[in-house]
C-alpha cells in the first residue's frame, strides 16, 4: 500500500509528540544512547523484529553504546505516518 508523504506542517506537528526526533536530510532522525554495547545491540534486535512486522526498515548505525536512526518512506518519497509510528515504537523500547 502506497503511503502519503506528509507536508512540512504535518511533520512539524507530529514531531512535537515525539521525544528528541528531528528532521535531517529529509528523514526523521534520532540518536539513542545506552549504558553499553549490549544494551544498544539488544535495542536494535528488538526493534528489528518490529521493523520486520511493519515491513518498514530503518537506516541505522551503531557504534558502541549509540544507535542512530534515520527514517523515511521510500514509496512516499519522504516522511509518512509510518515513520512516526516506527519512531514511537523506538522511543517506547528505549524507555524499557
Amino acid at each position: 500500500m502506497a503511503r502519503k508523504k506528509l507536508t512540512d506542517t504535518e511533520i512539524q506537528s507530529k514531531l512535537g509528540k515525539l521525544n528528541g526526533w528531528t528532521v535531517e536530510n529529509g528523514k526523521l532522525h534520532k540518536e539513542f544512547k545506552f549504558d553499553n554495547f549490549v544494551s544498544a545491540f539488544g535495542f536494535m534486535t528488538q526493534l528489528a523484529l518490529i521493523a520486520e512486522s511493519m515491513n518498514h526498515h530503518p537506516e541505522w548505525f551503531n557504534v558502541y553504546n549509540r544507535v542512530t536512526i534515520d527514517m523515511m518512506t521510500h514509496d512516499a518519497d519522504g516522511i509518512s505516518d509510518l515513520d512516526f509510528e516506527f519512531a514511537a515504537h523506538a522511543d517506547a523500547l528505549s524507555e524499557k
Side-chain angles (χ1 to χ4, degrees), residues 35-93:
D35 290 336
N36 53 50
F37 175 76
V38 171
S39 296
F41 198 84
F43 167 77
M44 291 178 73
T45 301
Q46 291 176 50
L47 197 52
L49 296 174
I50 292 169
E52 188 64 17
S53 73
M54 293 176 69
N55 194 30
H56 193 52
H57 305 92
E59 296 175 27
W60 55 9
F61 184 74
N62 165 244
V63 174
Y64 182 56
N65 66 337
R66 291 175 290 132
V67 176
T68 303
I69 298 177
D70 290 297
M71 291 295 305
M72 67 161 303
T73 303
H74 295 280
D75 292 347
D77 195 30
I79 298 170
S80 76
D81 283 328
L82 192 58
D83 301 302
F84 281 94
E85 182 182 337
F86 184 88
H89 283 295
D91 282 346
L93 267 179

